Amino acid sequence: MPHPSVPEWSGEELVYLSPGAANNYFGYKMRHERNWDELDFGFQMSARVALQDGEPAPSAVSYASPAAASAAVKEMGVELGADMVGVTPLDPKYVYKGHDLPHRFAIVIACAMDLDEILQVPRIESNAEYLRIYDRCSSIAVELARLLRERGYPARAHTVRQEDVAMIPLAQAAGIGELGKHGSLINREMGCSFRLAVVTTDLEMETDTQRDDGIDDFCSKCQMCVTYCPGDAISHEKQEVRGVMKWVVDTEKCTPYFSSHYACAICLRVCPWNAKAFEGRFMNSFKRSINELKQDWPERKAQLQADLQEAWSLMAPPGETAP
């Protein structure tokens, strides 16, 4: 059964959409006042776009083997501040239609968020945390790409401000995590409280394999994000998207809450993998957060619904007329 979504996301071809495209498509704007931290992180990320690509040095540094090259790249990524780095062949089906990207490998960078902050969503301070980690990821990716070019290898950074690739499936292939029912990646060490950036390159590296930590099976039985999604946007059933069966969030139902309530993220807040992650040090915080939601969830859900903004328009799919 087709899911209500932005047509470019559910069509046969992978088409790039800018940040906020779903909000705009369904007629919403992010409704909150930006604080100075958010603005600063946003400006920094935008300023780095011009630094994401460049010409490599004329002669290349040689590595003893693909395994040695991979180890060196991962060490550089961690030294720059990444919490996890994985490597995968660059599958052309995850390059956006019309984007010129001749590279053969993808380096995926993961940076953990402050889980104490995520366990308090939705609130305005959370957006600053999202952007802080996106900013950190983008700075690491840009610097890692620069270092690779300095060593004589073509390399391009991809961040939420400018990307040629779909990051989540590459992160899955690189062993960073498994896709959760809530549409975000889950990692045994970091839960679902992390963000991504990617560097593509032609440096020959040993690649990682996709993880199987039992997360997909766990999600098929877990009810938490389905129960506590205020928009009822999360389904128990997988759907086929471009030939792959996967968990899919109903964008039309999610977007009003995402736009109206500081990017919402209640689905991440209630994910049990956050209690298991970070060596269990947030277990008590997670339990307190869940108990708080349980106490008055029907009333809280009704309040979130009552506070939704009105959609200013609804763009029609090609060939149809907007209401």
Side-chain angles (χ1 to χ4, degrees), residues 20-266:
N23 304 48
N24 295 335
Y25 176 80
F26 291 111
Y28 298 94
K29 297 289 186 183
M30 289 297 288
R31 188 183 69 184
H32 68 278
E33 57 283 358
R34 295 273 182 185
N35 61 36
W36 284 110
D37 283 341
E38 289 181 282
L39 290 170
D40 187 45
F41 292 141
F43 289 146
Q44 290 184 64
M45 286 189 288
S46 296
R48 290 195 192 97
V49 169
L51 306 175
Q52 290 185 193
D53 204 354
E55 292 297 319
S59 59
V61 173
S62 61
Y63 291 91
S65 66
S70 179
V73 164
K74 290 178 180 180
E75 183 178 357
M76 283 191 286
V78 171
E79 287 179 352
L80 290 170
D83 290 296
M84 186 172 288
V85 181
V87 178
T88 183
L90 179 58
D91 191 328
K93 72 181 178 183
Y94 298 130
V95 177
Y96 290 118
K97 178 186 177 183
H99 287 228
D100 177 25
L101 192 60
H103 302 154
R104 297 163 47 230
F105 295 90
I107 304 160
V108 184
I109 296 157
C111 296
M113 294 188 288
D114 180 350
L115 187 53
D116 274 333
E117 181 58 57
I118 302 306
L119 292 176
Q120 300 179 70
V121 298
R123 63 182 195 147
I124 190 170
E125 291 84 357
S126 301
N127 264 3
E129 175 61 14
Y130 301 146
L131 285 175
R132 182 180 75 84
I133 298 302
Y134 277 135
D135 176 56
R136 178 176 153 200
C137 277
S138 72
S139 67
I140 294 168
V142 166
E143 181 62 11
L144 181 57
R146 186 192 69 79
L147 290 173
L148 287 171
R149 293 194 298 270
E150 190 178 79
R151 286 158 173 74
Y153 296 95
R156 184 183 304 176
H158 305 265
T159 74
V160 292
R161 283 294 186 269
Q162 180 63 50
E163 57 191 304
D164 299 299
V165 296
M167 296 189 198
I168 288 179
L170 291 177
Q172 285 182 268
I176 299 295
E178 298 176 51
L179 188 66
K181 189 182 286 186
H182 43 43
S184 293
L185 282 186
I186 299 173
N187 173 278
R188 183 173 286 275
E189 288 76 33
M190 296 184 290
C192 53
S193 184
F194 63 96
R195 289 292 178 259
L196 303 169
V198 170
V199 173
T200 55
T201 182
D202 273 342
L203 170 61
E204 185 84 26
M205 291 174 287
E206 181 179 70
T207 56
D208 297 296
T209 57
Q210 190 162 329
R211 292 175 70 148
D212 183 2
D213 288 330
I215 291 171
D216 185 74
D217 183 60
F218 183 95
C219 281
S220 69
K221 300 177 179 67
C222 182
Q223 311 294 320
M224 291 299 286
C225 63
V226 175
T227 299
Y228 289 102
C229 174
D232 300 316
I234 301 172
S235 171
H236 291 293
E237 305 298 327
K238 291 184 178 181
Q239 298 179 34
E240 184 176 345
V241 180
R242 283 183 286 277
V244 178
M245 294 300 295
K246 59 188 291 187
W247 305 111
V248 175
V249 175
D250 187 324
T251 318
E252 189 172 16
K253 292 180 179 179
C254 172
T255 298
Y257 292 86
F258 184 92
S259 304
S260 301
H261 298 300
Y262 319 121
C264 187
I266 293 175

Side-chain angles (χ1 to χ4, degrees), residues 11 17 24 34 56 66 160 232 239 283 290-291 308 314-315:
L17 294 176
N24 295 335
R34 295 273 182 185
V160 292
D232 300 316
Q239 298 179 34
M283 176 70 78
I290 295 301
N291 288 334
L308 294 179
L314 179 62
M315 294 173 60

